[in-house]
Amino acid sequence: MKYLLGVDIGTSGARSAVLTEEGDFVKSAYTTHTYNIPNPGWAEQEADVYWESFCEVAKEAAEWVEEQNGELAGLSISGLTPDVLPINKKGEAIYPAILWLDRRGTDEDEWIRKNIGEEKVFELSANTVDPYYGLVELLWLKNKEPEIYKKAYKFLNVKDYVAYKVTGEITMDYTQAGCTGIGFDIRNKRWDPEMFNKLGLDIEKMPMLVECEQVIGHTQPEIEEATGLEPGIPVVAGAGDAMASMMAAGISEVGENVVALGTSAVWGFLGESDEFAKNMLVTPAVGYKDMYLTSAAPAFTGGVFKWMRDEIMKDVEDGAYDTMNEEAAKINPGADGLITLPYFAGERSPVWDARARGVVLGLSTDHTRAQLFRSGLEAVAFALLDSLKYIRESGTEISDDMVVTGGMAKSKLLREILANALNMNVIYIGGNVSAEVGVAYIAGRGVGIFDSYEVAKDKLEVIDKIEPDPEINEIYEDYYEKVYKKMHPALEEIFADNYDIRAKVDKIMEARK
């Protein structure tokens, strides 16, 4: 039997998924890694960490296929996005990968806004300007590490670096290019020479761009021992992790949408129009050449709840999340006036403020950790609602149904909060809805085993559907309109001053060591 292998290289680990040629999920493997924070607001990791994680999960999958007397007919890789990893002509990484969580490029962000302008960037790329985007990170590298920039032959992202190690081919798929932003011409799917010239960046240092389903090469003999992958397996370009997850959720029609709820949240809407919504994350759609994926992408949603677990429940060995959800469920909507702004790692859509930080508003003596837990969950809903308002204003077609996936979607309380805050039907789907499964479907399309992505939709099951409560929706609308949406505008200048003061203090204290 023929099998397909998908591997996702994530922020905190790597996963593999094996599918049959009928699209059935049959095997998975998982390994963990982490990232480094060498300075406040930074997030990076050595390239070898990702390669080792890939090798571990790929080898387990390949050995299982061999035990079944099967054949791997195709492989594809998804990964965290965006990120910037410089390599030399030998293909060696010469600097750690600068990750999507990293906010070090604030000076470069301001320079682009002032000298090029958000409108010019939006007209070309359908995206905005923020340190999140890969080309802002790359401009930081040129300005702050000029020797590294000069020595670099190409700038890859993590998953395409792994694909290069597997195939020897240097490419980047269109979804990763969309997240790289700034200099990507989204309508013509190319790097824009004029914008690169304005940025002062070398366009020849960027990878060749390819369709997500394109076969970019084959597994090389020299990686067989490390990965267990036989030589000659076709390797398909793949996609960013959130975009791959959406393919596993069977998104295929205009207006359909799905949100992946993890450390961050990415809520993708499939559409045909190139009248793009501002302040969102926009990429070409996987599998549909004339369609786009508009995504609301708040930076740190489930991450807030995880931070609460790590800091408040750190002495609880088992069942911490269950306890947090149980306690939060006993609290009224609005957490008795406790509103959390989830900007712990800055914010992406819709405010795009790298200097913003988390806020808990309304603390009083009658509050307990239970209100804090509920407020952490409600912060996910408010952050998504903040983007939904922008998307609706753009005229983007949106279904009444919101499909949810990811680790945070396991919380029924969160699903109820989402339904009531967003005034949408929240559909929790079962099956195997994850980036590694989605990218295995992409591999199947690339090598011609699957005719369409309908095969993914056919494998799903609806576990739960929650409809909104109109009365509770009014409560959340009040909190959103009168409190939440006013918090960032009121605090924006304070955030900037606080950020600058901390940076100055860090510099002074570092000099004293």
Side-chain angles (χ1 to χ4, degrees):
M1 177 179 281
K2 292 182 178 180
Y3 294 94
L4 297 158
L5 174 61
V7 177
D8 178 62
I9 311 295
T11 307
S12 56
R15 292 179 182 271
S16 66
V18 179
L19 303 184
T20 69
E21 53 194 318
E22 287 80 33
D24 293 313
F25 171 83
V26 288
K27 173 67 178 174
S28 66
Y30 177 68
T31 188
T32 60
H33 53 242
T34 186
Y35 56 89
N36 300 319
I37 307 175
N39 293 299
W42 290 31
E44 63 183 37
Q45 184 54 277
E46 299 296 333
D48 286 348
V49 170
Y50 300 114
W51 174 243
E52 289 164 5
S53 287
F54 172 83
C55 290
E56 184 174 340
V57 298
K59 193 166 193 175
E60 185 173 338
E63 288 174 350
W64 183 89
V65 170
E66 185 177 0
E67 289 170 3
Q68 313 309 307
N69 295 315
E71 171 194 354
L72 275 176
L75 157 69
S76 191
I77 305 166
S78 62
L80 63 158
T81 182
D83 43 88
V84 171
L85 176 63
I87 63 170
N88 60 22
K89 286 189 176 182
K90 295 180 180 179
E92 301 165 335
I94 58 175
Y95 194 81
I98 303 174
L99 308 184
W100 63 274
L101 270 171
D102 194 284
R103 315 302 283 171
R104 71 184 71 180
T106 52
D107 291 342
E108 288 68 28
D109 167 53
E110 290 178 357
W111 184 91
I112 294 170
R113 290 174 187 271
K114 181 180 178 181
N115 293 277
I116 297 175
E118 293 174 79
E119 282 301 319
K120 289 288 185 184
V121 170
F122 178 73
E123 288 170 11
L124 178 73
S125 69
N127 284 284
T128 189
V129 183
D130 187 84
Y132 164 80
Y133 289 98
L135 285 189
V136 181
E137 296 171 342
L138 180 52
L139 188 57
W140 179 91
L141 197 68
K142 182 183 179 184
N143 291 342
K144 305 302 195 298
E145 296 284 355
E147 288 303 310
I148 296 295
Y149 180 88
K150 185 178 178 180
K151 290 177 183 176
Y153 170 60
K154 294 288 182 182
F155 295 102
L156 302 180
N157 52 58
V158 165
K159 75 97 174 164
D160 289 323
Y161 169 75
V162 173
Y164 161 71
K165 295 271 285 185
V166 171
T167 65
E169 301 295 331
I170 295 175
T171 62
M172 181 186 287
D173 74 85
Y174 291 145
T175 68
Q176 293 278 8
C179 294
T180 301
I182 316 296
F184 176 60
D185 180 347
I186 193 168
R187 293 174 179 85
N188 295 304
K189 298 184 176 67
R190 66 185 183 101
W191 302 121
D192 184 70
E194 183 179 352
M195 184 62 78
F196 270 78
N197 186 53
K198 288 178 180 178
L199 291 166
L201 297 174
D202 299 295
I203 198 169
E204 67 272 10
K205 290 179 181 282
M206 301 303 293
M208 178 178 69
L209 297 178
V210 295
E211 295 277 2
C212 295
E213 291 96 344
Q214 182 170 325
V215 175
I216 59 170
H218 297 78
T219 50
Q220 300 183 98
E222 54 264 36
I223 67 162
E224 184 173 6
E225 183 176 352
T227 66
L229 299 170
E230 294 181 356
I233 300 168
V235 179
V236 176
D241 51 3
M243 296 75 186
S245 293
M246 290 169 196
M247 303 320 295
I251 184 170
S252 61
E253 297 179 14
V254 171
E256 286 188 331
N257 64 90
V258 59
V259 58
L261 296 168
T263 302
S264 64
V266 181
W267 188 8
F269 301 79
L270 195 61
E272 293 176 314
S273 173
D274 63 359
E275 295 297 319
F276 301 111
K278 287 190 174 182
N279 296 319
M280 297 298 112
L281 174 62
V282 183
T283 69
V286 181
Y288 306 96
K289 291 187 177 181
D290 298 322
M291 299 178 77
Y292 301 93
L293 199 65
T294 298
S295 299
F300 204 66
T301 47
V304 173
F305 207 57
K306 180 180 183 297
W307 177 86
M308 291 179 180
R309 184 203 68 181
D310 292 345
E311 299 303 323
I312 299 174
M313 305 287 286
K314 60 184 176 183
D315 295 328
V316 178
E317 293 185 5
D318 299 308
Y321 280 133
D322 291 337
T323 300
M324 292 165 72
N325 275 278
E326 288 167 8
E327 292 186 13
K330 299 174 183 177
I331 304 302
N332 292 331
D336 298 328
L338 203 63
I339 307 297
T340 297
L341 202 61
Y343 298 173
F344 287 40
E347 184 55 307
R348 297 183 300 195
S349 65
V351 302
W352 296 100
D353 186 350
R355 290 181 168 88
R357 289 296 180 265
V359 174
V360 179
L361 178 75
L363 275 168
S364 64
T365 55
D366 65 321
H367 287 140
T368 67
R369 69 183 192 181
Q371 279 91 353
L372 195 61
F373 295 155
R374 184 174 186 108
S375 182
L377 292 174
E378 290 177 340
V380 179
F382 283 133
L384 291 171
L385 180 59
D386 212 18
S387 285
L388 182 61
K389 300 283 187 179
Y390 278 82
I391 294 171
R392 283 187 168 141
E393 286 174 8
S394 76
T396 300
E397 188 174 340
I398 301 171
S399 166
D400 291 333
D401 295 335
M402 173 193 201
V403 176
V404 295
T405 71
M408 284 295 293
K410 295 175 183 178
S411 167
K412 186 170 184 178
L413 176 58
L414 176 57
R415 301 198 302 271
E416 291 173 354
I417 291 169
L418 289 171
N420 291 327
L422 300 169
N423 199 29
M424 297 179 73
N425 304 317
V426 173
I427 298 174
Y428 181 40
I429 53 176
N432 298 282
V433 186
S434 58
E436 65 273 16
V437 173
V439 83
Y441 284 121
I442 293 173
R445 285 283 289 137
V447 299
I449 287 179
F450 302 139
D451 294 331
S452 75
Y453 289 107
E454 291 295 320
V455 64
K457 189 175 291 187
D458 292 342
K459 302 299 177 181
L460 302 176
E461 59 174 323
V462 175
I463 294 177
D464 185 33
K465 179 177 180 179
I466 299 175
E467 297 180 357
D469 180 323
E471 193 172 18
I472 304 301
N473 174 249
E474 287 184 13
I475 293 172
Y476 282 122
E477 276 290 323
D478 268 352
Y479 272 118
Y480 174 79
E481 292 291 339
K482 297 175 181 177
V483 183
Y484 186 92
K485 84 170 188 178
K486 295 180 179 179
M487 290 172 69
H488 180 262
L491 294 169
E492 187 172 8
E493 187 175 338
I494 296 173
F495 284 141
D497 289 340
N498 185 53
Y499 181 95
D500 291 342
I501 293 168
R502 177 175 178 177
K504 183 167 65 175
V505 171
D506 288 341
K507 187 174 182 180
I508 291 170
M509 301 313 294
E510 181 66 28
R512 292 189 177 192
K513 290 181 180 178

